[in-house]
Amino acid sequence: MTRVAYQGEPGANSHMAAIEAFPEAGTLACATFEDAFAAVTSGEADLAMIPIDNTVAGRVADIHLLLPDTSLQIIGEHFLRIRFSLMGIPGATLEGAREVHSHVHALAQCRGFIREHGLTPVVAGDTAGSAREVAEWADPAKLSIAPPLAAERYGLTVLASDIEDHRHNTTRFVVLAPPREYPQAGGGPFVTSFVFRVRNIPAALYKALGGFATNGVNMTRLESYMVEGKFAATMFMVDVEGHPDEPPLARALEELTFFSTELRILGVFPAHPRRFGGHGA
């Protein structure tokens, strides 16, 4: 059976994404992103489901540092609509609650509900972890904000559903696996993800990106981050629509090499239907 590693405790959004994308697979909870990467590298798991960015909170911290250095390859993507529930031990009520515990991002994404009901937010390390703690404390005055799956997992009662401030709240995950051949071009829309470092010359970034414009390649993501502790050493992480074997992207990547000192493709994978507004799982 395929086994999917994810970061977080059982019942977390990453757990939900793994189940949604691979309903027949087993799952492996990992304490950190590094542990999830290591589980696949060692063979303990076959795949890793890793969040990369969120429509409300932006990019997920640390992932941009881990992806360029891993030997794993991006083989897919998954979009998960984020839904948060307010939950407590059986018998707990919203009126009798004083505190609400969750991950800092979940608290921020449910700020309106928390303020409306006069609850005191308390930061926890993980959404599902906060649900587990609320169950262990057995205190009706302490509630958790977590995915609905966490309520089932830890025997909690859902007091309110879909309490997030923004209904468009969605997290994009990437699926990582040991290195393999890229899928063949022509089977549908593809996404190519890569990192590069520009040469230290004037207008290098402008020139490096020019080939994508002139070849009609749609760039859906461009983010920079510093490396090696140097303000001048900047890497760029990019997602583009297309396959490296297709002439437009092949020409654009060839032109990019003239103005970069490093170029590494992180993965070539089928575009998820949600990327284009679809509703596939």
Side-chain angles (χ1 to χ4, degrees), residues 87-270:
M87 56 193 71
I89 63 172
T93 64
L94 184 54
E95 294 73 23
R98 296 190 307 271
E99 298 177 356
V100 59
H101 298 249
S102 195
H103 187 274
V104 61
H105 285 168
L107 294 173
Q109 293 170 23
C110 301
R111 186 180 292 111
F113 183 93
I114 294 171
R115 186 188 306 113
E116 178 185 351
H117 294 280
L119 299 171
T120 299
V122 180
V123 175
D126 182 68
T127 53
S130 73
R132 174 183 53 77
E133 291 174 337
V134 164
E136 292 173 350
W137 293 329
D139 183 347
K142 296 180 179 180
L143 305 180
S144 165
I145 290 176
L149 182 62
E152 301 175 20
R153 182 84 186 194
Y154 301 108
L156 298 179
T157 298
V158 173
L159 304 179
S161 300
D162 296 337
I163 64 172
E164 61 278 359
D165 295 335
H166 302 285
R167 293 296 179 260
H168 63 72
N169 193 342
T170 301
T171 295
R172 175 180 174 248
F173 292 79
V174 291
V175 182
L176 299 175
R180 60 181 67 178
E181 291 186 2
Y182 299 143
Q184 291 186 349
F190 284 94
V191 176
T192 297
S193 182
F194 59 92
V195 291
F196 72 94
R197 187 186 305 198
V198 295
R199 297 184 184 278
N200 190 20
I201 58 175
L205 179 60
Y206 173 80
K207 295 174 182 177
L209 299 181
F212 296 93
T214 57
N215 286 285
V217 176
N218 187 30
M219 185 174 293
T220 60
R221 177 193 191 92
L222 173 65
E223 295 202 28
S224 64
Y225 58 100
M226 291 178 290
V227 292
E228 301 172 355
K230 301 175 183 178
F231 286 95
T234 304
M235 291 285 289
F236 294 89
M237 183 173 291
V238 181
D239 284 349
V240 296
E241 293 176 3
H243 192 290
D245 290 339
E246 296 169 345
L249 183 52
R251 289 192 296 266
L253 290 173
E254 181 181 12
E255 189 168 337
L256 174 62
T257 60
F258 297 144
F259 304 102
S260 61
T261 59
E262 181 179 346
L263 170 63
R264 182 186 168 209
I265 294 181
L266 302 177
V268 179
F269 49 93

